[in-house]
Amino acid sequence: MPSTVRQTPNQPKRVLSDVEKASISKKRMAALEKRVEVLMRESVTFKREYEREVVSLKEKERLAERKRTAMERNLATLMVQNAGLRDTLRTQQEQLQWFRADIAGREASRQCMLCLQAYNSDVLPKTLRCGHSCCAECIVQITVEHRNKSYAVCAECRGWNLVSTLAGFPTSISMMPGNIPPRPPHLQL
């Protein structure tokens, strides 16, 4: 077996004995064992950190899943509320259209449906038996004779209304502009 030579810069080459070789081997072995111990401790530390990271990631995944589920529930709730709001909005729009039509009808009912003159103290609104109104002058124009009786034919519904010579048709005071109540505040458009 060849002998190992250890060199130093100022000394001549020297051959190591077997005892020295064994001592050097033991020292190297001890250093390697220490290094292995350090590496084992580091690997245990890294393993623990890795396990913590895995647990942390799993917790984050569970938390993200809970948040996603909660957001899906909130979205479903919002969709139901949105549908309800759409229905409410549609109903309110229909009511608004009806109120506008009603207001237009009220404005139209303040004038004679035939001559379109506004009702006032000179042009009195008369209500026919069918419920429609027109002025007294127009009633004379729409009156027809049939079997010795006079009938006023309504221009709106074409109903025949018997004209009583004694009483005629009642005057609708409520249709006079001064007697029509103002619109309620919630109907002001």
Side-chain angles (χ1 to χ4, degrees):
M1 190 159 142
S3 61
T4 308
V5 178
R6 186 174 209 184
Q7 287 183 322
T8 59
N10 297 335
Q11 293 180 352
K13 292 184 181 182
R14 178 177 152 220
V15 178
L16 297 174
S17 68
D18 288 338
V19 174
E20 288 175 329
K21 289 180 188 176
S23 169
I24 291 172
S25 290
K26 282 184 181 179
K27 287 180 185 176
R28 283 186 183 161
M29 190 59 110
L32 286 174
E33 285 176 356
K34 283 184 183 179
R35 182 70 182 142
V36 166
E37 265 183 54
V38 168
L39 290 174
M40 290 296 285
R41 273 185 268 157
E42 286 179 358
S43 80
V44 168
T45 304
F46 287 136
K47 186 176 180 182
R48 285 182 187 150
E49 288 177 9
Y50 172 78
E51 289 172 353
R52 283 187 202 128
E53 287 293 321
V54 168
V55 168
S56 175
L57 286 174
K58 286 181 181 177
E59 275 298 314
K60 287 178 183 176
E61 287 175 1
R62 275 183 258 162
L63 183 61
E65 180 65 25
R66 282 190 217 130
K67 285 182 180 178
R68 187 184 63 79
T69 305
M71 289 174 69
E72 286 175 353
R73 271 190 254 125
N74 289 342
L75 179 63
T77 303
L78 289 174
M79 289 175 72
V80 168
Q81 289 174 350
N82 190 18
L85 289 174
R86 265 194 233 122
D87 290 342
T88 303
L89 180 63
R90 189 178 308 114
T91 303
Q92 287 178 349
Q93 286 174 339
E94 289 171 359
Q95 288 176 349
L96 184 62
Q97 289 173 349
W98 183 87
F99 287 136
R100 284 184 177 151
D102 183 51
I103 289 171
R106 285 182 186 199
E107 295 296 325
S109 68
R110 293 182 187 185
Q111 62 189 14
C112 177
M113 68 179 160
L114 297 173
C115 66
L116 301 177
Q117 288 184 355
Y119 295 134
N120 55 33
S121 59
D122 297 331
V123 181
L124 295 174
K126 298 286 187 175
T127 304
L128 301 173
R129 287 186 175 80
C130 62
H132 298 112
S133 298
C134 61
C135 67
E137 293 174 12
C138 290
I139 288 180
V140 172
Q141 293 176 1
I142 62 171
T143 302
V144 294
E145 294 289 326
H146 182 69
R147 295 186 184 171
N148 297 330
K149 291 186 180 179
S150 296
Y151 293 93
V153 180
C154 178
E156 200 160 327
C157 68
R158 305 289 183 212
W160 286 54
N161 299 283
L162 181 62
V163 177
S164 169
T165 54
L166 295 175
F169 293 104
T171 302
S172 302
I173 300 295
S174 64
M175 295 185 72
M176 300 290 284
N179 295 318
I180 296 177
R183 296 183 198 126
H186 69 283
L187 294 181
Q188 297 291 332
L189 303 176

